[in-house]
Amino acid sequence: MKEYKLGKWDLSELAKDPKSPAFQKQIQELEKQSEKFEKIKSKLDPKMSTEKFMNILHQVEEISEKMSKIGGYASLSYSSDTQSDEATSLMTKMSKLGSEISNKILFFDLWWKTQVDDKNAKRLMKNAGEITEYLSHKRLFAKYALSEPEERIINTLDVTGISALVKLYDKITNAYEYKMKIGNKTKKMTREELTNYVRSTNSKVRETAYKTILTKYSENKGVIGEIYQNIVLNWRDEGIEIRGYKSPISMRNIGNDVDDKTIESLLLVCRKNSPIFQKFFAQKAKMLKMKKLRRYDLYAPAAANIKEKSYSYNNSVKLVFESLGKFSETLEEFARKVFNEKHIDSSVRQGKRDGAFCSTLTPKITPYVLVNFTGKSRDVFTLAHELGHAVHSQAAQNRSILVQDAPLPLAETASTFSELLLYDNLSDKISDNEKKIMLSEKIDDLYATILRQSFFTIFEVDAHEQIGKGTTVNEISKTYLKNLKEQFGNSVNLSDDFAIEWSCIPHFYHTPFYCYAYSFGNLLALSLFQRYKKEGKDFVPSYIEILAAGGSKKPEKLLLEHGFDIRSPKFWQEGFDYVRDQVRTLSSLN
């Protein structure tokens, strides 16, 4: 029987060696193809035949796939070792190439958005099949599009502008070395290793771990605060001042193909339901024999007197396969492919990017998954989460590269659903005592992925407005602290050192307003899971259909076809009703 061991991924399917003539040939072919594509410009005509139009789109697909392959190689190499000069240099080089290729094919995008009349657009989209929604969504951007020379300037300057700022933030923060005293020894650690101590059974260790992280960011707040302000100003200047979006978050919503009202409804319901989690924190304090939790204790193991179970990597992988397989053999096979093709990087190393992600480069290539596995139960759930993303991509593998990826709010659905399947599978195998611990951890995660993420977004809305008017790093920190006070109410004692925590959140830097996608995906997954519990195997085809749609349908439309109205606050409330039931179940186990 196959045994799974910690290790690095194999990127040879993307490129054998970036210094080789073969890699140079890949680049040359891409440049040649994009130069050839440029010649189409003079032949563009809104009255062209649908065949000619589809042929142009197929060329766009080919160029996108080739760029994604070599750009993906650079990006994944860099994530695997952010301190490597070679990987950094290749990443810079490929970012520049990506910008040049984008500029060469940009004219077609702009022509479609701004120069094709509605009548011809409708005619050309008629036979576009799965790409119809993609084309229709593109035309939504028409009023925000600039002239071709202006778009070229923005693309070119982004490489040394916003992209460079993000890379600088990563470079600075991934190089942080943390020193913490464990017993009589002072240990050097990565942030990933240090984060394990945030979940220590010892309250002093938890506090020290948090303070070690927060102090490092506080010491560097001048630089990383300045980077954040410039990213926000860049986002604002381009989005609102130059393109004319209504608000900073509207830029993300339109990019995600969701209505502002849907997201307003989501955030409103999240805000309203914070007392559910506040009750849980009060309950958890009792489990930990404390009067009240401190913010340092938020992720403390619920049973401090019981040693946390450790999971081997091999067993964890098999558990995730089993959980997916009980639901659908097809989904289990998709997850197995990631391992069979060595598309996973799982070991913890200095210089390797923190956290976890799944990267889908093209429909023809099995996604790549990065995790930092340390054997904790949360690592098993992280593995299920990222493999859920990989399953989602593969369910949509017959789609065009232009519509394979689900819009951001749907992107977290399969990942969260996979975690729920894992929890369901594990809860059948464990005692009431273990179930109590796991349920407490599960509610911790529901807090972290629903309420915390929505409050992150609420903070971003406030911070973007504040920075737009001119502010300081300390004032941004005050806004963040106020946000935390609203989340926790009186259920948690909050110390002022958490004011700087916002600067530790990479999503604020990498992808403004990304975080609500977690709240969206989690609440949606809870509703889907409840449907599965009612309908059993009959629900499986419907679920796979939602995943297989990729980005070929607008989220509101796709989900309505399956009986979910995401514009309604009632829909989001149903997810919180499930959370409330979990909190009650935990109470009954105590």
Side-chain angles (χ1 to χ4, degrees):
M1 202 164 170
K2 189 168 181 177
E3 189 168 337
Y4 298 95
K5 293 176 181 173
L6 291 167
K8 290 184 179 183
W9 48 31
D10 177 2
L11 303 179
S12 60
E13 190 178 348
L14 303 175
K16 295 281 186 284
D17 173 10
K19 291 175 182 170
S20 68
F23 190 73
Q24 293 313 309
K25 197 181 174 190
Q26 273 180 275
I27 293 172
Q28 283 160 11
E29 278 177 10
L30 179 61
E31 288 174 327
K32 214 174 183 178
Q33 199 170 348
S34 59
E35 278 160 19
K36 187 185 167 193
F37 187 81
E38 271 188 301
K39 290 171 184 166
I40 292 169
K41 191 174 181 180
S42 58
K43 297 169 190 166
L44 289 178
D45 180 356
K47 292 176 181 172
M48 71 169 72
S49 69
T50 52
E51 290 76 21
K52 197 174 178 183
F53 180 65
M54 289 308 291
N55 179 264
I56 293 171
L57 282 170
H58 292 321
Q59 288 182 59
V60 172
E61 286 172 329
E62 276 180 43
I63 292 168
S64 301
E65 292 211 8
K66 284 178 180 167
M67 186 62 233
S68 190
K69 210 170 166 182
I70 55 177
Y73 176 83
S75 172
L76 295 173
S77 298
Y78 179 71
S79 294
S80 187
D81 186 0
T82 62
Q83 301 309 299
S84 158
D85 287 342
E86 205 172 283
T88 306
S89 169
L90 184 66
M91 180 80 165
T92 305
K93 193 179 165 189
M94 291 305 105
S95 294
K96 193 170 184 299
L97 177 69
S99 170
E100 285 166 5
I101 300 296
S102 293
N103 278 341
K104 280 182 176 140
I105 66 172
L106 181 67
F107 69 86
F108 176 70
D109 201 48
L110 291 170
W111 172 79
W112 173 249
K113 285 180 194 169
T114 60
Q115 291 174 40
V116 181
D117 58 281
D118 288 344
K119 190 181 172 186
N120 276 305
K122 205 173 175 183
R123 176 182 64 82
L124 291 169
M125 284 193 286
K126 203 174 179 184
N127 298 320
E130 63 176 4
I131 305 175
T132 305
E133 174 58 29
Y134 165 82
L135 292 167
S136 173
H137 185 215
K138 284 273 180 197
R139 285 181 68 81
L140 263 186
F141 290 102
K143 64 178 181 177
Y144 309 111
L146 308 172
S147 68
E148 191 185 334
E150 287 170 316
E151 292 286 3
R152 277 175 179 263
I153 290 166
I154 284 174
N155 271 350
T156 305
L157 292 180
D158 272 353
V159 176
T160 51
I162 199 161
S163 299
L165 286 169
V166 170
K167 201 160 69 179
L168 200 58
Y169 172 79
D170 285 347
K171 194 107 180 146
I172 292 168
T173 56
N174 286 326
Y176 287 165
E177 198 175 70
Y178 301 92
K179 289 177 185 174
M180 181 171 153
K181 204 168 181 185
I182 308 291
N184 296 323
K185 286 184 179 175
T186 299
K187 282 180 76 176
K188 284 182 183 177
M189 285 178 262
T190 63
R191 180 170 160 186
E192 195 70 34
E193 290 167 319
L194 188 54
T195 301
N196 284 323
Y197 291 99
V198 158
R199 291 170 166 81
S200 167
T201 54
N202 184 315
S203 66
K204 191 68 194 157
V205 169
R206 292 194 294 269
E207 182 178 344
T208 307
Y210 265 122
K211 282 183 171 173
T212 305
I213 295 170
L214 295 171
T215 301
K216 183 68 77 175
Y217 279 81
S218 193
E219 285 168 358
N220 292 276
K221 69 180 180 182
V223 176
I224 54 179
E226 185 66 21
I227 290 172
Y228 182 63
Q229 293 207 57
N230 279 285
I231 286 170
V232 168
L233 289 170
N234 185 300
W235 182 266
R236 191 177 189 88
D237 290 345
E238 183 187 325
I240 294 173
E241 304 302 326
I242 299 173
R243 296 190 183 277
Y245 284 93
K246 192 173 81 177
S247 67
I249 196 172
S250 275
M251 254 177 109
R252 177 67 60 212
N253 294 345
I254 290 168
N256 287 343
D257 204 8
V258 288
D259 302 335
D260 283 351
K261 278 194 172 172
T262 299
I263 302 308
E264 281 164 20
S265 173
L266 165 71
L267 296 178
L268 188 77
V269 173
C270 288
R271 210 165 192 164
K272 193 180 113 189
N273 281 276
S274 51
I276 292 176
F277 286 102
Q278 289 167 14
K279 279 179 188 165
F280 164 67
F281 295 136
Q283 201 171 305
K284 188 169 176 178
K286 282 181 193 168
M287 289 169 77
L288 291 168
K289 297 182 170 52
M290 297 172 76
K291 279 187 178 177
K292 192 187 276 194
L293 293 184
R294 304 165 303 163
R295 174 59 187 82
Y296 306 118
D297 307 312
L298 214 61
Y299 301 116
N305 57 331
I306 298 172
K307 192 176 182 290
E308 189 184 354
K309 191 176 173 182
S310 189
Y311 290 83
S312 76
Y313 182 64
N314 182 49
N315 286 344
S316 301
V317 172
K318 288 174 180 173
L319 262 175
V320 175
F321 288 165
E322 182 185 81
S323 306
L324 288 166
K326 279 183 176 179
F327 178 76
S328 157
E329 285 176 17
T330 307
L331 299 193
E332 183 187 350
E333 278 312 304
F334 287 153
R336 284 183 181 275
K337 277 184 82 179
V338 175
F339 290 83
N340 295 343
E341 296 174 25
K342 293 182 180 167
H343 281 206
I344 183 154
D345 191 315
S346 51
S347 58
V348 177
R349 307 182 296 278
Q350 189 74 37
K352 179 182 168 183
R353 206 194 111 155
D354 283 342
F357 67 77
C358 172
S359 176
T360 298
L361 301 175
T362 89
K364 296 182 178 77
I365 296 172
T366 300
Y368 288 84
V369 167
L370 179 142
V371 291
N372 283 279
F373 190 89
T374 62
K376 304 292 182 190
S377 68
R378 69 188 174 90
D379 292 334
V380 193
F381 281 92
T382 299
L383 191 61
H385 183 98
E386 298 308 335
L387 287 171
H389 283 303
V391 158
H392 197 162
S393 295
Q394 290 177 81
Q397 67 191 354
N398 295 324
R399 299 276 172 207
S400 155
I401 191 171
L402 305 177
V403 293
Q404 183 192 16
D405 290 343
L408 198 56
L410 293 186
E412 294 300 334
T413 308
S415 51
T416 308
F417 195 84
S418 296
E419 287 190 64
L420 290 166
L421 290 173
L422 175 63
Y423 173 76
D424 205 43
N425 185 20
L426 281 173
S427 62
D428 292 341
K429 304 174 190 287
I430 53 180
S431 66
D432 271 3
N433 212 18
E434 284 178 302
K435 193 172 184 177
K436 184 166 74 174
I437 297 163
M438 196 166 277
L439 183 54
S440 174
E441 282 183 0
K442 185 191 175 195
I443 300 168
D444 277 342
D445 284 343
L446 289 171
Y447 160 72
T449 51
I450 297 175
L451 200 75
R452 181 166 156 82
Q453 301 298 328
S454 60
F455 270 86
F456 275 165
T457 307
I458 290 161
F459 161 73
E460 282 187 279
V461 170
D462 293 340
H464 276 246
E465 189 182 339
Q466 192 176 338
I467 292 166
K469 290 173 181 171
T471 192
T472 63
V473 173
N474 286 341
E475 288 301 317
I476 297 167
S477 297
K478 281 180 191 171
T479 298
Y480 186 76
L481 201 60
K482 192 179 163 196
N483 176 287
L484 291 180
K485 283 174 180 168
E486 185 185 342
Q487 268 184 75
F488 298 127
N490 292 320
S491 66
V492 172
N493 281 331
L494 189 61
S495 51
D496 287 351
D497 51 357
F498 277 92
I500 198 66
E501 189 190 24
W502 59 270
S503 68
C504 311
I505 315 297
H507 279 319
F508 294 166
Y509 291 77
H510 292 176
T511 325
F513 306 103
Y514 180 100
C515 293
Y516 74 67
Y518 288 106
S519 309
F520 191 120
N522 276 269
L523 289 170
L524 173 61
L526 293 178
S527 296
L528 293 172
F529 191 72
Q530 283 171 289
R531 177 82 67 91
Y532 166 54
K533 287 312 229 177
K534 279 180 201 160
E535 298 176 11
K537 286 284 181 186
D538 291 346
F539 172 73
V540 177
S542 186
Y543 177 74
I544 293 175
E545 269 177 45
I546 290 171
L547 301 192
S552 64
K553 287 181 181 173
K554 187 170 166 59
E556 282 90 351
K557 187 185 174 192
L558 171 66
L559 292 165
L560 203 56
E561 284 173 6
H562 295 274
F564 299 97
D565 180 8
I566 61 172
R567 291 182 187 90
S568 158
K570 185 172 174 278
F571 166 76
W572 301 114
Q573 187 57 48
E574 282 166 9
F576 277 104
D577 292 344
Y578 172 87
V579 181
R580 185 184 284 114
D581 288 344
Q582 298 302 301
V583 174
R584 283 177 183 155
T585 303
L586 181 64
S587 185
S588 70
L589 289 168
N590 280 325

